[in-house]
Structure formats: structure tokens, C-alpha cells
Amino acid sequence: MVRAPGLLAALLALGLALALALRRAGAADCGALGPAERLAFAPAANARWLAPRVRAPGPLDPLYGTVRRFLAVVQLKPFPAELIKALLNEPSSVKADEVVRYEAGYVVCAVITGLYLLVVPTAGLCFCCCRCRRRCGGRVKMEHKTMACERGTLVGFLLLTTLVLLVGVVTAFVTNQRTHEQMGPSAKALPETLLSLRGLVSDVPQELQAVAQQFSLPQEQVLEELDGVSRSIGNVIHTQLKSTVYEVLASVLSLGQALQVSVDHLRALNATSVELQEGQQALAPAVQRHREHLLALLQEPGCRGCAEALDRAHALELGADFSQVPSVDDALYRLKGVPEANFSSMVQEENSTFNALPALATLQTADVIRELKKVVAQQPRELRTLVEEFPGWEAASRWSQALEEMEQSSRPYLKEVQRYEKYRWIVGCVLCSVVLLVVVCNLLGLNLGIWGLCKREDPSHSEAKGEAGARFLMVGVGFGFLFAAPLILLAFTTFLLGGNVQTLVCRSWESGELYEFADTPGNLPSSMNLSQLLGLKKNLSVLLAYQQCKQGAALWTVLQLNDSYDLEKHLDISQYTAKLQQELQKLKVDVKNLDLLSPAARQDLEALQSSGLESIHYPGFLVEIQKPVVNISVEKLAQELEGLSQTQGNTVLGQQLQKEAQGLRNLHQEKLLLQQRLVAKLNLSVHALASSAPLLQLETSDVLDRVTHLKGELPTWATRILKNESECFLTREMGYFSQYVAWVREEVTQRIATCQPLSTALDNGRVILCDMVADPWNAFWFCLGWCTFFLIPSIIFAVKTSKYFRPIRKRLSSTSSEETQLFHIPRVTSLKL
């Protein structure tokens, strides 16, 4: 009756494991067999991805931002949708005043340019006439008190203006060169982009054929797995049962090891008990002799301080009595010769027998596998017509032809663009060189003039340097007047073109207004309507198409081809499922009986079960173990006797006490330590048996019952698992064909003829036109205009400053002039010169 709860728990656990396994099998949980492997299909779509162009950040970016903000101020109005609509549909209806109102900012700039062209050349002509008559640009007639201040102020303003011109002309040189460098690659990028776009639809038939041909990939994979399906199903059966079988075998092995350990402890307990009893018989007389001798010595009248030692000597007696421990002879007799079986070898052999299930399945299913291969080798008829019935690509062909024509016609135009850009670059370099020449003249004039002022002590040299400085300044003035008109004309011409490109095209392109304009019905003429050009039944949203293409969508999605072609009809392979399922139902595997416990091992376990190991009275051992071998510490008593021997007045008594202490030490080393080690060994065996014996009996009963139950249920479980795993194998093989169908669907609808190059081409076009060309172009005219307008203060300050660098012919009569003292000018008369 004691075994009933343990047995019930073991059977419940085993039954629960079986129920869970069968439930998983019934629910077609194919985790043990595993899902279909991922097939690596070769991409059928040709890689036609355009690399996105991005302008790298550079030191000119702040200048580009400044120019854009300036153009935003010049053109405050939004994108002129109505004006562009009228221009595209009815150009004759466009009124000039509407264009002028939209271009109001540019008109203001044109007026300023006209005033510049009128005023600056006229002022230059007048200045030239005045110079010819020596009425302007002369010299200071006489010194006066504020001359130094005026001269310093003019020099400072001229120097500041010259530095501004220098910064502007250097930046103009850089932007002019940057524009020229970007124009060539940008012009070459257009035909390359058109060529890439042509490839969107040119390879579609070949790509579809490649898709159909890759049906062989899942076929080959299934045929390869059919070669090992028998072993695979055997492995599945083995996997489903191994947790239960291995658990039982592990319990058997663990119980066999525990049996060996318990028997060893029992034998050690018995042997140690015998040794302790023998040691106790030898130890008792020796302890008694030492006790009697000590009592006689310590009770002598002449023994000083011996009262405490006398008390200890009275307690010098044996403590534990190992003759009182229980006997284990009956348990030893029942376990004689146990274990007879080698549990480790037996479990290894049973594991090998159980692991041979896959090989057994291979032999029994060979004929069924041959029939399955014949079914798989066939190809569905629907897949063969995938390419034949695919809708025509007439619209796409027209698009490809149009792109080809655009590519051919763009090449001569681009060559002309490059030629005119070369002319613009040369003119820009020449005019920037003129501005740089003005800067050089100003700097030379300032250096020579200031040098001449500092050397007024030497009249002959100072006047020559000052005169030369003034003449350099006037040369700069002459160049400024002479080239002011070409500079302002070049600046305004490039400004008008580049500014409108930025405000009308780039700004609306970047914000998406161009796409919205193209999507609005009626804005574009029928000849530019994308839906009509492609022959689509529905209107195509340019913005939506651009967004889809940017995300990598294929033309299938963008052009909505699903309305004209039933792709799912050609991807139906249901005929495979029925045939394969019919053949798989013929699979059968017979599982032989599996002996989980050998007869010898069973006899060992039954002997342990009836040995009464748990009935031994272990507390009886523990009572004696807890007692000391001797009631007092012999070592401490010996130390105390040595101390007493030193304090005795009687030499003979002291020597006897010393001799007795040595005798106690010898007793401790020779007998007491050995006895204590045996007690520790006995304690280890007793505790091990006391804690394991009750559980060992329950575990033995549990293992014997589980082995018996499992041995009877294994064939039934194997049959049920085989049926479930056959269905799992069918699902796995169908997974390969499902992967192919999903891959075909994805290739046709998402990858073949992807229009990502179209969106990238549009983005690259914006980057090329706006970031790489328009930005440096606009920065060039901005810097050139900057230099052109700063020529005016440069001319004014140069003319004013040149007067102070020329020699003075008359001076004040006062000899205390602060001007003379400040610059150390010698007092020289015109006669002396």
C-alpha cells in the first residue's frame, strides 16, 4: 500500500506525456520534422538600379543658402499653375502683363541693371573728359588741418572695399569653375539615365521565361528529400518517442548508479562498524590504565595545584560504545552479489536499439518512395502557360521607343549646351580677371601711396612713389568704368536664367508642386498625358506613381496590370497535393519490441526492493557517532600535566607527571586519531544511507512500473506518430512549391520591371539641375553682381584717395602745421622741386 501513491504518480506522468505527444500529432504540429527549408531562387529581374546622386557638403553651402534666400525675396509668388497651364495648352492666350506681374522681382532687378548701364558708363565718360581737362582726379592744392583724417578715412574705406571685391572675385572664380566642371558630367548623365529607363521593359519576356524555368528548383529539392524521407520519418518517430524512452532509460541508469552507491555505503558501514568495535576493545584498557595512574599521582599530598587536573582525570573514560550499533547483516545477505548487471552497458545497448528506428523505416518504405518521385517529376500545365498568356506590353514598348528617341535627340542638344557653357566660362574668367586686376591695382596703389607718405623726408623718392600709387588707383578706376557694362550684363543674364530655374522649377520640384500640377486634370495637354501615352484604362497619378517607384514598386503595381491578367490562375498547383497525399498514405513502419531492462538488471532492482535497506535503524548509529571517543580532550589534559610538572617541588613527582603527559600524547596519536577517522567515515555512510534508502525504494518501484508500461505502449505510439508525420512531410514538401508560387508572385508583381530607376532618375535630375548646376550657377552671378556693384564705391574711393598720394605744390604759411608734424613731411617749396 505504501507504493500506491508513487506508482499512481508515475503512471499519471507517463500518461500525460503520451497525451501531449498524441495531441501534438493530432494537431499536425510538425515542429519535430521542421518546416520547409528556404529555397534560394536566382533573381529573374535584371538589376537596373540607378545610383542616387547627392551633392557632397562643401564650404560653398552657406553661399548657396544665401543665394536661395535672396531669390526667395526676389520671387515671393508661389508656383504659377494657371500661367503654366495656359502656356502649355493655349500659348497665344498668355498675356504679357501676367508674365510681368509674376516676374515682378526680376523686372525690378532689370530696372536696376538698366540704371547701372546708363549711369556708370556715363559717369565714366564724364570722368574721362574731366581728366583730359585736368578738372578732376588731380591733387591736393594745400595742406590743412583735417587732411590726415580725411586721407586715413579714404584709405580705410578703399581698403575695405578692395577686400570685399577680392572675396567676391575669388568666390566668383571658384563658382565659375565649379559650374563648368559640373556641366559636363551632368550633360552626360542624361543619356545614361534614358538608356537605363529603356531597360525597364525590354527584358520582360526573358525575365518571365527565367521565372518559369526555376520551377525545377522546388522539384529538385523535393526529389532530394524523397531520397531520405524514410530515414526522416524514422527520425521523426525517434524524436517523438525519445523524450519518454530516454527519460526511462536515464532513470534506469540513475537507479543503477544509486544502487551501486548504496551497496558500497552499506558495505563500508558494516566494515567500519567492525573496525570501530575492534579499536574500542584495544583502546579501553589503555585509557583505564592512564586514568588509574593519573589519579594516584594527582592525589599525592605533595602535588601542588592538582585539583583541576584531578577532576579531568576522573572523566578520562570512553564515550561511544560501538558494540551497541544495529546489525546490517540481513540487508547485506539480501544484496549479496548485487549489482550483477552492468547498468551503463545495458542502457547504452538499449539506446542503440532504439536509435536504429530510422534505418528500419528506410527498408520498409522504399517502394512507396519510388512512386512518389514519379508524381513529383511532373510539371503543372498552368505554369507552362505563364509566359504564353502574359498580357502584351504595347504601351511599355511605345514608352521604350519614346525614350530611345529622346536619348538620340538629346545628344546634339547636350553638345550645344556644353559648347555654350564653354563660352560662358571663358567670358566669366575674363571678366573675373578684370575685377581681379582692379583689386590688384587698388592694392598696389595703396601700398605705393602709403609708402610714399611714410618717406616724405626724401622728397625725390616719396613723390615718385606717391605719383605711382595714384596712377595705379586711376588705372583700376579706368578698368572699372570700362568693364562695368559687360560685368552687369553677364551677371543679369545668368541671374535671369538661373534665378527662374531655381524659383520656377527647383523650388516647385522639391516641394512636389510640379507633380501636383501634372496630376490636376486639364493642366497638361493630351499629348503630354501620361495615362494616354501608356494606353492605360485608368488615369495614372504622377505623384502616386513617383512615390510607388521610389519605394521600389514594379510596373505591375504602378500600371495596375492585375485588371487584365489573372496571375493566380497560373499559380494553381493543387493537383500536386492530391497525388502526393494519396501516395504518402501507403507508408508503413513496424516497430519491434524494445527491451528497456535486461533480466539481470531487473533481478538487481527486485533484490534492492526486498533488501529492507530502508528498515535499518540508522538513528542507533547516529547516537553513538555523536558521542566522543573519549569524554575529555586527551591533548588538553597532556598539556595541563606538562604545566603541573614544572611547578612541583618534588622532582620525582614532576618527572612522573611529564612521563604521563607523554603517554597520553602517544595514546592520542596512535589510537584516538584512528578511531576518530573511522567515526567520521561511519558518519558519512550512515547519513548517505539514511537519506537515500527511503527514496531509493520508491524510485525502484516507480522505474519497474514505468518500464513495464512503456514497453507495452511503444508500438501503438509509433503507428500514430507515423500517420501524423506523413501529413507533416506532405505539408513540408508543399511548402517548397508554395515558396515558388510566392516567389513568382513577388517577382512578377514587385520586382520584374521595377520602376525605381524612374523615381531615381527624377531625383537625380533635380539634384543635377538644382544642386549641381543651378546652385553654383546662381552663386556665380551673385558673386559677379556683388563685385560689379562694389566697383562703384571702389571707383569713388580710389579717385578721392589718389589726390592725397600726389605731391602737394602749395602749403600753409604756418610752420606749426599739425599735418606736417603728424606725417613728418619736409617743408619743400615748388621752386625747390
Side-chain angles (χ1 to χ4, degrees):
M1 295 302 294
V2 177
R3 291 174 49 194
L7 175 59
L8 180 60
L11 293 178
L12 284 175
L14 193 61
L16 180 60
L18 173 61
L20 291 176
L22 295 180
R23 179 174 295 181
R24 287 196 300 268
D29 181 5
C30 303
L33 184 61
E37 297 178 2
R38 188 68 179 174
L39 296 178
F41 296 99
N46 293 329
R48 294 189 176 275
W49 298 90
L50 282 179
R53 294 178 178 267
V54 180
R55 185 185 66 196
L60 294 177
D61 289 347
L63 177 61
Y64 296 157
T66 302
V67 176
R68 289 189 180 187
R69 287 189 291 271
F70 173 76
L71 289 174
V73 174
V74 172
Q75 182 56 277
L76 297 173
K77 295 184 179 180
F79 180 74
E82 295 298 327
L83 182 61
I84 301 299
K85 175 182 178 182
L87 184 63
L88 292 176
N89 292 278
E90 298 180 8
S92 60
S93 64
V94 178
K95 298 180 180 180
D97 58 339
E98 295 179 355
V99 178
V100 170
R101 279 197 299 270
Y102 174 72
E103 299 281 346
Y106 295 96
V107 172
V108 173
C109 294
V111 171
I112 295 174
T113 302
L115 291 175
Y116 190 96
L117 283 173
L118 178 64
V119 173
V120 176
T122 302
L125 183 61
C126 295
F127 181 76
C128 182
C129 294
C130 290
R131 286 290 295 162
C132 291
R133 297 184 179 185
R134 298 181 179 276
R135 292 190 177 182
C136 54
R139 66 185 75 234
V140 178
K141 301 300 182 181
M142 63 183 66
E143 295 182 0
H144 50 84
K145 296 180 179 181
T146 61
M147 187 177 68
C149 180
E150 292 176 0
R151 182 174 58 220
T153 302
L154 290 173
V155 169
F157 278 114
L158 179 59
L159 180 60
L160 179 61
T161 305
T162 303
L163 293 178
V164 172
L165 280 174
L166 179 60
V167 173
V169 74
V170 170
T171 312
F173 267 118
V174 173
T175 52
N176 185 50
Q177 184 64 28
R178 181 68 58 85
T179 304
H180 185 66
E181 292 174 353
Q182 294 290 348
M183 190 65 71
S186 300
K188 293 179 181 178
L190 179 59
E192 295 175 0
T193 302
L194 294 176
L195 181 62
S196 178
L197 294 179
R198 283 177 53 199
L200 281 174
V201 293
S202 60
D203 296 335
V204 170
Q206 293 82 355
E207 292 174 355
L208 290 174
Q209 188 65 34
V211 167
Q213 290 175 352
Q214 292 200 50
F215 180 74
S216 60
L217 191 61
Q219 277 184 320
E220 292 173 357
Q221 182 67 29
V222 172
L223 290 173
E224 181 181 352
E225 292 195 358
L226 282 175
D227 290 334
V229 65
S230 301
R231 178 169 292 275
S232 175
I233 291 180
N235 287 331
V236 172
I237 297 174
H238 177 269
T239 303
Q240 291 284 342
L241 295 178
K242 70 179 182 180
S243 59
T244 303
V245 173
Y246 285 169
E247 181 182 357
V248 171
L249 290 177
S251 300
V252 171
L253 179 60
S254 175
L255 183 58
Q257 294 172 348
L259 170 62
Q260 182 67 57
V261 171
S262 298
V263 170
D264 290 342
H265 276 299
L266 183 63
R267 291 168 180 167
L269 182 147
N270 182 65
T272 306
S273 299
V274 172
E275 290 182 14
L276 283 171
Q277 291 174 9
E278 294 174 353
Q280 179 178 311
Q281 293 174 2
L283 181 62
V287 171
Q288 183 63 28
R289 287 195 301 271
H290 282 288
R291 180 176 182 275
E292 293 174 354
H293 193 194
L294 280 175
L295 290 176
L297 291 175
L298 295 175
Q299 289 178 355
E300 290 186 5
C303 187
R304 300 176 182 177
C306 298
E308 186 176 353
L310 181 62
D311 294 336
R312 290 182 179 274
H314 281 292
L316 184 61
E317 295 177 343
L318 293 180
D321 185 3
F322 293 101
S323 61
Q324 302 298 320
V325 297
S327 174
V328 295
D329 293 338
D330 183 59
L332 280 174
Y333 176 77
R334 294 178 182 273
L335 293 175
K336 184 179 180 180
V338 174
E340 181 181 353
N342 188 334
F343 280 82
S344 178
S345 299
M346 180 203 69
V347 170
Q348 185 176 1
E349 182 180 352
E350 296 298 327
N351 273 330
S352 299
T353 303
F354 177 68
N355 292 335
L357 284 177
L360 177 65
T362 303
L363 295 175
Q364 296 178 353
T365 58
D367 295 336
V368 178
I369 297 304
R370 281 193 293 271
E371 295 299 323
L372 282 170
K373 288 184 177 181
K374 294 179 181 179
V375 175
V376 174
Q378 302 175 3
Q379 185 178 18
R381 183 184 61 83
E382 289 78 4
L383 288 177
R384 293 195 296 268
T385 61
L386 174 66
V387 182
E388 300 171 1
E389 299 181 7
F390 206 78
W393 291 78
E394 296 82 3
S397 300
R398 291 196 302 270
W399 190 16
S400 177
Q401 183 178 0
L403 289 173
E404 183 178 3
E405 293 176 357
M406 289 176 60
E407 179 200 353
Q408 296 298 330
S409 61
S410 66
R411 294 185 182 276
Y413 173 75
L414 293 174
K415 290 181 180 179
E416 290 297 315
V417 169
Q418 289 180 290
R419 185 166 65 89
Y420 283 111
E421 161 58 23
K422 184 177 182 181
Y423 297 154
R424 184 209 61 81
W425 174 72
I426 293 174
V427 173
C429 289
V430 171
L431 293 180
C432 288
S433 300
V434 171
V435 177
L436 183 60
L437 186 59
V438 172
V439 171
V440 171
C441 290
N442 286 351
L443 292 176
L444 287 175
L446 286 172
N447 287 330
L448 291 173
I450 294 174
W451 191 8
L453 291 176
C454 294
K455 300 294 184 178
R456 283 281 173 94
E457 291 82 358
D458 187 357
S460 60
H461 290 83
S462 65
E463 292 183 3
K465 293 183 179 65
E467 187 67 31
R471 288 183 180 182
F472 270 114
L473 292 179
M474 297 310 294
V475 170
V477 170
F479 278 116
F481 279 126
L482 185 61
F483 289 94
L487 283 169
I488 194 64
L489 285 176
L490 180 61
F492 178 73
T493 304
T494 53
F495 158 71
L496 187 62
L497 178 60
N500 276 290
V501 169
Q502 173 62 37
T503 57
L504 185 61
V505 180
C506 294
R507 190 164 63 186
S508 57
W509 198 343
E510 187 174 358
S511 64
E513 291 178 289
L514 279 181
Y515 300 121
E516 295 176 0
F517 174 80
D519 283 339
T520 303
N523 282 350
L524 296 178
S526 58
S527 60
M528 299 178 63
N529 188 287
L530 189 58
S531 300
Q532 295 181 11
L533 290 175
L534 296 176
L536 301 179
K537 299 179 181 179
K538 298 181 180 179
N539 288 330
L540 179 64
S541 171
V542 177
L543 180 59
L544 179 60
Y546 167 76
Q547 293 173 347
Q548 289 177 334
C549 291
K550 196 173 184 65
Q551 295 173 358
L555 290 179
W556 173 280
T557 303
V558 177
L559 302 182
Q560 302 175 0
L561 296 179
N562 55 319
D563 295 334
S564 57
Y565 182 72
D566 187 5
L567 181 61
E568 298 301 324
K569 174 184 175 182
H570 296 273
L571 300 180
D572 184 13
I573 56 172
S574 58
Q575 59 177 343
Y576 270 64
T577 306
K579 293 181 180 180
L580 288 176
Q581 186 175 11
Q582 181 179 359
E583 293 297 329
L584 280 172
Q585 289 177 353
K586 300 177 182 180
L587 289 175
K588 292 182 180 180
V589 176
D590 294 331
V591 182
K592 295 180 179 180
N593 293 333
L594 181 65
D595 292 330
L596 300 175
L597 199 63
S598 65
R602 181 176 292 274
Q603 291 177 4
D604 288 340
L605 295 181
E606 290 174 351
L608 175 63
Q609 205 173 17
S610 60
S611 65
L613 192 63
E614 77 283 1
S615 302
I616 297 174
H617 189 254
Y618 296 105
F621 287 93
L622 295 176
V623 169
E624 299 302 326
I625 289 172
Q626 292 171 357
K627 295 178 182 180
V629 177
V630 178
N631 288 333
I632 64 171
S633 174
V634 175
E635 283 188 315
K636 290 183 178 180
L637 180 58
Q639 292 176 359
E640 189 173 357
L641 291 176
E642 285 183 349
L644 287 175
S645 68
Q646 302 296 329
T647 61
Q648 300 301 318
N650 188 343
T651 305
V652 177
L653 181 59
Q655 291 177 351
Q656 290 177 342
L657 289 173
Q658 181 71 25
K659 182 178 180 181
E660 190 61 30
Q662 185 62 36
L664 289 175
R665 282 197 175 91
N666 293 337
L667 178 66
H668 180 266
Q669 293 293 332
E670 295 172 359
K671 295 183 179 181
L672 284 181
L673 289 180
L674 176 61
Q675 199 76 351
Q676 289 172 356
R677 284 194 291 269
L678 291 174
V679 170
K681 182 177 179 181
L682 179 65
N683 183 46
L684 178 64
S685 298
V686 169
H687 277 90
L689 289 173
S691 60
S692 64
L695 298 177
L696 193 60
Q697 294 297 320
L698 295 176
E699 185 179 355
T700 302
S701 300
D702 175 59
V703 167
L704 289 173
D705 295 331
R706 291 173 65 188
V707 167
T708 303
H709 180 76
L710 181 60
K711 186 176 180 180
E713 293 293 332
L714 274 178
T716 304
W717 295 358
T719 302
R720 292 178 181 176
I721 294 172
L722 172 63
K723 180 181 179 181
N724 174 72
E725 294 308 318
S726 299
E727 296 177 359
C728 289
F729 179 77
L730 175 64
T731 303
R732 175 186 174 89
E733 303 314 306
M734 288 301 98
Y736 293 119
F737 295 107
S738 299
Q739 287 184 45
Y740 173 76
V741 170
W743 175 77
V744 172
R745 186 183 296 111
E746 182 179 0
E747 285 290 307
V748 173
T749 60
Q750 299 182 23
R751 302 191 185 280
I752 290 181
T754 176
C755 65
Q756 186 269 347
L758 178 60
S759 63
T760 306
L762 291 174
D763 292 338
N764 290 350
R766 185 194 63 78
V767 172
I768 292 171
L769 178 63
C770 301
D771 295 346
M772 297 183 176
V773 177
D775 277 350
W777 176 289
N778 290 331
F780 169 69
W781 63 250
F782 183 80
C783 296
L784 195 62
W786 168 1
C787 295
T788 303
F789 281 99
F790 268 92
L791 281 177
I792 297 176
S794 174
I795 291 171
I796 295 172
F797 293 135
V799 171
K800 292 287 186 181
T801 306
S802 65
K803 295 180 180 182
Y804 291 93
F805 289 163
R806 292 191 174 94
I808 302 173
R809 301 305 183 184
K810 294 182 181 181
R811 61 180 180 82
L812 286 173
S813 58
S814 174
T815 59
S816 62
S817 172
E818 296 178 1
E819 189 72 23
T820 304
Q821 295 175 4
L822 179 61
F823 287 94
H824 306 287
I825 300 174
R827 299 172 180 174
V828 181
T829 63
S830 60
L831 294 176
K832 292 179 180 179
L833 292 175

